Amino acid sequence: MNNNVNISDRGSKSLIRFVISELKPRGKIFTPFNIISGLIILLSLVILVIRFAKGLGSVADASQLHPWGLWISFNVITGVAFAGGAYVLTFMVYILNMKKYHSIVRMTVLWGFLAYSFYAGALILDLGRPWNIINPIIGNSFGLSSVLFLVAWHFILYIIAQFIEFSPAIAEWLEAKRLRKILVSLTIGTVIFGITLSVLHQSGLGALFMMAKAKIHPLWYSEFLPILFLISSIFAGLSIIIVVGSICQKVFKNQLKSDYGDSYKNIVFGFAKICAVAMFVYLFLRLLVLIHSQQWALINTHIGYWFLLEILGFVLVPFIFFIYGFKHRSMLLIHIASIMTIIGIILNRLNVSMIAYLWNDPLAHYPTWMEIVVSVSVILAQIWIFRWIIYRMPILRKSPDWVPEDEEK
Amino acid sequence: MENFSINDIFATKGIEYLVIIAFLAILIPFWVVLNKQVKITKQIQNALGILTANILRIPQGLFYSKNHTWIHLEKSGVANLGLDDLLQHLTGEVKFSNLINPGEIINKGDLLAKIEHNSKLLKIFSPISGKILKTNSMLNESPEMLNEDPYGKGWIYKIKPSNWIAETNSCFFAEDATNWATKELEKVKDFLIMSMGKHSHEPSMLTLQDGGELRNNTLSELPNEVWQDFQKEFLNHT
Amino acid sequence: MSINRRDFIKTIGIAGVTLTVGNELLAAPKKEEKEIEFSGILIDTTLCIGCRTCEHVCAETNGLPDTSDEETGSNRQPTEKQLCVINTFNVDGNEIFVKKQCMHCNQPACATGCLTKAMKKTDEGPVIWTANKCMGCRFCMINCPFDIPKFEYHSPNPKIQKCKMCFERLKEGKKPACVENCPAEAAIFGKRRDLIEIAKARIYAEPDKYYHHIYGENEVGGTGVLYLASVPFEKLGFKTNLGATPYPEYSKEFLYAVPVIFTVLPALLLGMHSASKSENNKIEKEESYE
């Protein structure tokens, strides 16, 4: 294959042939992971056909009092928190110039891009009349007063921004030198734009619930919900990157340079420290919010104990583990802390949107197995695409030789 | 009921300010504690410690060979053998493998052991002849003992020497050992600059900080070719 | 340096656009005295006899199945098939009937939260839903403090169902169906301003008959449907802890902050980027001198 061919020189025919050849799977097709996840995805496609033919109620347990089910509460509200690694990392690498983290930026941005794309897709699955989604986009009727309008627009713009940040990798894959140069020059602009958008829509997810004041339990509802969501997205995103990065290290190890392990360890230690500081701030914020709401007496109820479990068990404990792991350089402890943090974020977001939402409604909302299957398969599909891209594009491995040294990722 | 009895919306402001003061008060010590260096030299990758002769440990009662091993004869007639502090400062944390089993006889200059980091390895040759009595099983479980306590718990072999006096003649002892170690450090610096030129690496990747001193764990991130050169220059003395 | 100039222009451009659009969010539009005033409905529960005629005619007018032979209870909610329902309460030995439907708030949470403007507060007063704009996100359902909008979950072409105060009939000069057909005149229709006067007059004229509160006068900033009762409203299933703040005010702080963040943050980030870049350049220059 010609290594010095520009995309314009290659010609469109050979480009198509190249892309098609890249579609062939690499490695074993019938691994346990592939089989199980493939079956789940197929099952969810069947469920989705039923959902669109017979209406949302045929597969989801959405009731009139609990309009948002698992797909929004889990895939959108929780999933987007986990995609927060992208804006934190691009901030550290491109704004603060912390070169230590450079090697992991591409993977993080790719994960973020895929996360937002898939979870925006999950949102469309949940819409009752998705054909009208074009309305708030083309200006047919802008509901400017709505927080959801802002969140929706930010999702679209952010997906575009992340795609541009990630596109140099695509250009390197397609061997398009001039295109790559253009895309790289756009990086800092899109990074700044992306961080601003992220700050607003991560907090915007919290602002969505502002008008549900009468329905969310006072221990979780506060006017500071947007800020809490923003701060928690910082350590949520970093925790997911630690877990995903470590898995990638094992799965893709033949792509990596021999000293990737050392530099990756340093990155993880750095993340642990940042998470610890963010969680320190977050814990104090939650204390302030609790005092401000004047509802501390409610802690002495059943749901109050659930509240304590979420904060003490899954924020305070991993916070301590992060500190200990960082000081004693223990990868194991940091990974345990990351997983506990992930559970804590899931709990918090599900609490605000589903569990503490009309918590005393006797007809509580329990997701159906079909909702769970579709939720899980959205994530599995994301992992499949993630894997496909990492095998083919220079995300974890070195850029091709024609990339200038100082621009190398 | 609204508008019929007192409703102070800032009722908790006082407590909130106290919490904020507490937060700020805790923040500084928290930050300090988080950043305090861990004293153990185990994982010093981020620590830009400066490798000068002052920080080397060179107990004066031991014999040091040119191949960076030390030996110490105990009253029982059994000698302990290990790697010196300078070597472990250069390599950083390594995986250690014994090549001789207890009961075997070795001669001066025989291959004793291998130390390895990320598939880069160095061979350690014996300074004396004798019969190997014991290997240090604790090293298998805690390889960092080589770095933490190279002269104590980090011993490699217990050996019954067959020709102690003659063979330790060529070793350094007491003050000579300290002088030699200082000179060796300078030699390492020159070696690295030359090796740098030979393998054309980026200077920044190397070592020279303020004042041109070596970084701790100097060799650990350098490639295999440099390790092979180091072997030839420093560990292959006969 | 071409990159910095480009970013500068980009930032200014974004800031400029935001400021232009942002103004719409920040500035309160100056309204001239509008000629059209809100209409409303006053429901006097002391007059309601529980005949449920309103349920019948509501179903008829809106083309929905008539389910009014269902038993009445004290916890019935409007559904996607029944836009108004009668609840029965037993208070101190007396039976009190309460009609429940959309409150047509002055500042509706549902309309504020609708990102396609499918839910809209009309100038005349009723809050209506238009099918061709709605995308079925159900955000209106999350926002409504009274939990009124209902969604047709079992239809592939689902609609949001709630009382529209017979908006079509109002345009023809008629009254809402429930008001027109109420045999006891428990429900009356008129300008909201007039209805409040009528309610106050009733309370003043018969202070022992009524509980001294008009529900809906100030709740959530005022609603188009007003209630009078002879007992405290908590006993009749009304939510009395909603406060007088209009619901859109709760997301006001966040939305007001958006243009500010959009202008301040990019400039700040650009500054931090330049600062850290020049620090690095300085260090690199020093190293190359060594």
Side-chain angles (χ1 to χ4, degrees):
Chain A
M1 185 159 71
N2 248 341
N3 272 336
N4 292 325
V5 168
N6 216 331
I7 192 171
S8 51
D9 305 349
R10 195 194 271 270
S12 53
K13 241 200 215 165
S14 60
L15 177 65
I16 297 176
R17 238 180 280 148
F18 169 69
V19 175
I20 292 181
S21 75
E22 289 278 81
L23 285 175
K24 294 202 202 99
R26 308 238 176 126
K28 284 205 309 201
I29 302 185
F30 293 111
T31 64
F33 172 75
N34 279 357
I35 297 179
I36 297 179
S37 55
L39 285 174
I40 296 180
I41 294 179
L42 278 176
L43 184 58
S44 74
L45 289 175
V46 172
I47 295 174
L48 287 174
V49 169
I50 301 177
R51 174 252 176 279
F52 280 107
K54 294 173 77 185
L56 195 54
S58 56
V59 303
D61 180 39
S63 71
Q64 304 292 3
L65 288 181
H66 292 263
W68 281 353
L70 200 65
W71 298 344
I72 295 210
S73 303
F74 182 66
N75 287 97
V76 180
I77 309 247
T78 316
V80 164
F82 289 132
Y87 81 90
V88 177
L89 222 70
T90 49
F91 176 69
M92 295 197 305
V93 171
Y94 291 111
I95 304 286
L96 294 182
N97 253 306
M98 296 164 103
K99 296 224 165 8
K100 178 166 94 166
Y101 301 101
H102 202 191
S103 56
I104 210 173
V105 167
R106 263 203 190 159
M107 189 201 84
T108 311
V109 170
L110 173 64
W111 178 262
F113 167 66
L114 290 179
Y116 275 89
S117 307
F118 273 90
Y119 304 153
L123 192 132
I124 297 181
L125 294 178
D126 191 75
L127 290 181
R129 303 165 63 86
W131 52 91
N132 273 337
I133 196 172
I134 204 82
N135 281 340
I137 299 179
I138 59 173
N140 194 8
S141 47
F142 276 170
L144 291 169
S145 59
S146 169
V147 178
L148 191 56
F149 177 78
L150 189 92
V151 170
W153 260 96
H154 277 201
F155 272 27
I156 298 170
L157 292 175
Y158 191 58
I159 291 177
I160 297 175
Q162 283 196 298
F163 182 70
I164 298 179
E165 277 171 37
F166 164 69
S167 53
I170 303 183
E172 286 169 20
W173 173 58
L174 296 174
E175 315 235 335
K177 291 187 192 158
R178 258 189 314 224
L179 184 62
R180 186 190 174 279
K181 255 192 147 36
I182 300 173
L183 293 169
V184 165
S185 67
L186 294 175
T187 301
I188 187 64
T190 44
V191 160
I192 290 180
F193 194 45
I195 295 173
T196 312
L197 287 173
S198 272
V199 164
L200 284 171
H201 70 241
Q202 292 284 0
S203 48
L205 287 181
L208 283 177
F209 295 101
M210 289 284 96
M211 286 203 263
K213 180 173 170 149
K215 305 185 210 180
I216 299 183
H217 191 279
L219 282 178
W220 278 273
Y221 179 88
S222 81
E223 47 211 321
F224 301 101
L225 216 44
I227 307 267
L228 291 177
F229 271 36
L230 177 64
I231 305 285
S232 56
S233 74
I234 297 177
F235 54 82
L238 290 180
S239 297
I240 274 276
I241 294 301
I242 293 177
V243 172
V244 169
S246 298
I247 297 179
C248 282
Q249 244 211 313
K250 300 250 160 62
V251 172
F252 299 110
K253 57 175 173 286
N254 37 1
Q255 279 196 37
L256 303 171
K257 300 185 261 189
S258 60
D259 58 352
Y260 186 85
D262 283 336
S263 66
Y264 181 69
K265 267 193 188 175
N266 283 341
I267 291 177
V268 170
F269 294 143
F271 282 176
K273 181 164 147 189
I274 299 172
C275 282
V277 177
M279 287 163 113
F280 181 66
V281 172
Y282 181 73
L283 285 166
F284 261 95
L285 275 179
R286 290 210 75 163
L287 176 63
L288 279 169
V289 164
L290 180 64
I291 294 175
H292 184 87
S293 68
Q294 302 180 31
Q295 303 282 2
W296 50 80
L298 288 175
I299 293 189
N300 207 9
T301 58
H302 284 298
I303 201 163
Y305 304 144
W306 179 244
F307 171 79
L308 284 179
L309 178 69
E310 178 203 306
I311 294 201
L312 298 180
F314 291 99
V315 181
L316 185 65
V317 169
F319 164 66
I320 296 174
F321 283 178
F322 270 129
I323 298 180
Y324 216 72
F326 169 72
K327 300 243 15 180
H328 293 264
R329 300 288 192 256
S330 162
M331 287 291 268
L332 176 65
L333 211 52
I334 293 180
H335 280 90
I336 294 177
S338 301
I339 295 179
M340 289 183 78
T341 308
I342 291 172
I343 296 176
I345 296 286
I346 296 178
L347 276 181
N348 174 249
R349 301 296 166 100
L350 286 183
N351 276 339
V352 171
S353 56
M354 253 172 60
I355 302 177
Y357 183 92
L358 283 182
W359 73 101
N360 47 9
D361 177 14
L363 307 166
H365 170 85
Y366 295 114
T368 62
W369 67 268
M370 294 181 275
E371 280 183 80
I372 299 177
V373 165
V374 174
S375 263
V376 168
S377 64
V378 167
I379 301 178
L380 289 175
Q382 180 195 352
I383 295 178
W384 274 39
I385 305 286
F386 186 65
R387 181 179 62 179
W388 188 89
I389 293 183
I390 293 198
Y391 270 137
R392 286 156 187 77
M393 304 192 198
I395 310 286
L396 288 179
R397 59 184 147 91
K398 251 170 86 77
S399 299
D401 296 326
W402 50 266
V403 172
E405 276 264 331
D406 56 347
E407 285 184 33
E408 204 172 310
K409 58 143 208 89
Chain B
M1 273 227 308
E2 285 171 42
N3 300 332
F4 294 120
S5 49
I6 198 155
N7 178 25
D8 183 6
I9 57 175
F10 295 117
T12 52
K13 264 290 169 274
I15 310 179
E16 288 175 40
Y17 285 147
L18 288 175
V19 171
I20 292 172
I21 293 174
F23 167 74
L24 291 170
I26 300 179
L27 182 64
I28 312 284
F30 172 68
W31 186 250
V32 166
V33 163
L34 205 60
N35 285 327
K36 210 161 61 156
Q37 295 299 344
V38 179
K39 291 228 178 100
I40 305 173
T41 52
K42 202 182 3 171
Q43 291 270 16
I44 316 183
Q45 278 151 340
N46 282 335
L48 300 177
I50 299 189
L51 185 55
T52 60
N54 307 343
I55 72 162
L56 289 180
R57 293 172 282 188
I58 312 173
Q60 299 286 283
L62 310 179
F63 284 99
Y64 298 86
S65 85
K66 289 200 186 121
N67 288 336
H68 292 272
T69 49
W70 58 265
I71 34 181
H72 180 238
L73 188 60
E74 301 196 328
K75 285 207 193 109
S76 52
V78 174
N80 288 337
L81 191 155
L83 303 177
D84 73 6
D85 198 31
L86 172 56
L87 183 62
Q88 72 82 14
H89 265 297
L90 288 172
T91 59
E93 195 181 300
V94 289
K95 258 198 308 225
F96 175 79
S97 7
N98 294 87
L99 294 176
I100 314 285
N101 295 318
E104 288 179 49
I105 310 274
I106 52 151
N107 290 319
K108 178 170 170 182
D110 281 356
L111 180 60
L112 264 187
K114 272 195 298 204
I115 55 177
E116 183 183 317
H117 175 70
N118 274 359
S119 60
K120 304 180 279 214
L121 59 84
L122 293 175
K123 297 185 198 150
I124 309 295
F125 297 102
S126 177
I128 56 171
S129 325
K131 179 170 168 187
I132 300 287
L133 295 178
K134 256 177 129 184
T135 59
N136 190 354
S137 53
M138 196 170 40
L139 274 186
N140 295 331
E141 292 152 31
S142 331
E144 67 275 9
M145 216 41 83
L146 265 182
N147 307 85
E148 282 175 38
D149 197 6
Y151 300 108
K153 300 206 196 107
W155 59 268
I156 302 180
Y157 288 110
K158 286 204 194 289
I159 179 171
K160 187 147 169 57
S162 52
N163 204 355
W164 178 259
I165 299 185
E167 286 171 345
T168 51
N169 240 343
S170 50
C171 291
F172 298 102
F173 187 76
E175 273 171 315
D176 293 346
T178 315
N179 291 338
W180 169 75
T182 316
K183 287 206 202 100
E184 281 286 273
L185 260 186
E186 292 299 322
K187 202 171 147 197
V188 169
K189 271 192 235 174
D190 293 2
F191 158 76
L192 286 171
I193 294 176
M194 188 200 64
S195 188
M196 192 171 68
K198 194 165 143 199
H199 299 289
S200 60
H201 290 291
E202 289 170 339
S204 63
M205 197 180 152
L206 214 143
T207 50
L208 304 175
Q209 310 291 291
D210 19 9
E213 294 300 336
L214 290 173
R215 199 177 73 147
N216 212 350
N217 297 353
T218 325
L219 290 176
S220 67
E221 274 160 34
L222 297 179
N224 203 7
E225 298 88 87
V226 179
W227 280 53
Q228 286 169 10
D229 289 343
F230 182 86
Q231 175 83 41
K232 279 189 227 138
E233 277 288 305
F234 292 86
L235 300 179
N236 283 359
H237 292 117
T238 43
Chain C
M1 295 195 327
S2 59
I3 292 182
N4 273 346
R5 208 183 297 146
R6 194 183 303 196
D7 295 320
F8 179 72
I9 294 178
K10 211 183 262 197
T11 314
I12 294 294
I14 292 173
V17 168
T18 321
L19 281 173
T20 343
V21 175
N23 266 336
E24 278 186 89
L25 294 172
L26 284 171
K30 291 197 178 69
K31 276 210 178 93
E32 309 120 17
E33 278 295 311
K34 286 231 156 172
E35 299 217 4
I36 309 176
E37 271 196 26
F38 286 158
S39 305
I41 300 178
L42 172 63
I43 298 176
D44 192 332
T45 62
T46 62
L47 300 177
C48 178
I49 56 175
C51 65
R52 302 171 69 186
T53 310
C54 46
E55 290 189 29
H56 288 301
V57 293
C58 175
E60 205 182 297
T61 318
N62 291 297
L64 292 169
D66 190 352
T67 51
S68 53
D69 40 340
E70 212 179 85
E71 284 269 330
T72 169
S74 62
N75 202 13
R76 298 169 71 214
Q77 308 285 337
T79 67
E80 73 265 27
K81 299 207 172 76
Q82 258 189 304
L83 305 187
C84 75
V85 292
I86 295 286
N87 277 316
T88 317
F89 294 93
N90 223 309
V91 184
D92 301 330
N94 300 327
E95 257 192 343
I96 304 182
F97 305 99
V98 181
K99 177 168 177 291
K100 188 175 163 111
Q101 75 294 300
C102 173
M103 300 290 283
H104 297 280
C105 309
N106 288 353
Q107 293 198 47
C110 59
T112 305
C114 182
L115 78 167
T116 59
K117 288 216 177 96
M119 278 292 196
K120 202 168 109 101
K121 174 80 172 172
T122 57
D123 287 338
E124 291 80 3
V127 179
I128 58 172
W129 176 83
T130 32
N132 63 349
K133 294 191 179 172
C134 174
M135 53 184 221
C137 68
R138 310 189 299 288
F139 194 39
C140 53
M141 297 168 72
I142 299 263
N143 290 332
C144 175
F146 303 102
D147 290 312
I148 293 298
K150 298 291 184 289
F151 191 70
E152 293 180 338
Y153 283 110
H154 293 278
S155 157
N157 182 10
K159 298 197 275 297
I160 289 275
Q161 293 285 17
K162 74 170 191 70
C163 161
K164 356 176 153 31
M165 217 196 271
C166 290
F167 190 59
E168 306 299 317
R169 289 172 57 105
L170 296 190
K171 287 222 281 254
E172 294 168 16
K174 302 195 220 156
K175 293 192 192 156
C178 52
V179 171
E180 188 150 294
N181 292 290
C182 177
E185 284 191 28
I188 54 176
F189 175 81
K191 295 265 170 276
R192 185 175 185 267
R193 199 206 293 259
D194 298 333
L195 291 175
I196 292 184
E197 297 292 314
I198 294 173
K200 287 185 182 166
R202 288 190 193 181
I203 296 178
Y204 191 71
E206 295 177 277
D208 297 326
K209 179 178 173 201
Y210 288 104
Y211 181 70
H212 293 198
H213 182 67
I214 307 172
Y215 188 87
E217 186 185 358
N218 292 314
E219 274 76 2
V220 297
T223 62
V225 180
L226 306 160
Y227 286 88
L228 285 172
S230 55
V231 295
F233 286 95
E234 304 86 72
K235 302 199 179 166
L236 300 178
F238 284 88
K239 288 191 191 177
T240 49
N241 58 348
L242 293 174
T245 321
Y247 258 54
E249 302 255 325
Y250 290 124
S251 52
K252 173 179 78 169
E253 281 148 15
F254 174 75
L255 286 173
Y256 280 12
V258 170
V260 176
I261 303 232
F262 245 115
T263 35
V264 171
L265 204 54
L268 194 67
L269 292 173
L270 205 52
M272 291 167 86
H273 169 70
S274 304
S276 68
K277 215 160 103 152
S278 70
E279 269 303 304
N280 263 10
N281 282 346
K282 246 195 273 164
I283 294 176
E284 277 166 18
K285 281 205 188 98
E286 282 170 10
E287 279 182 0
S288 71
Y289 283 148
E290 280 180 7

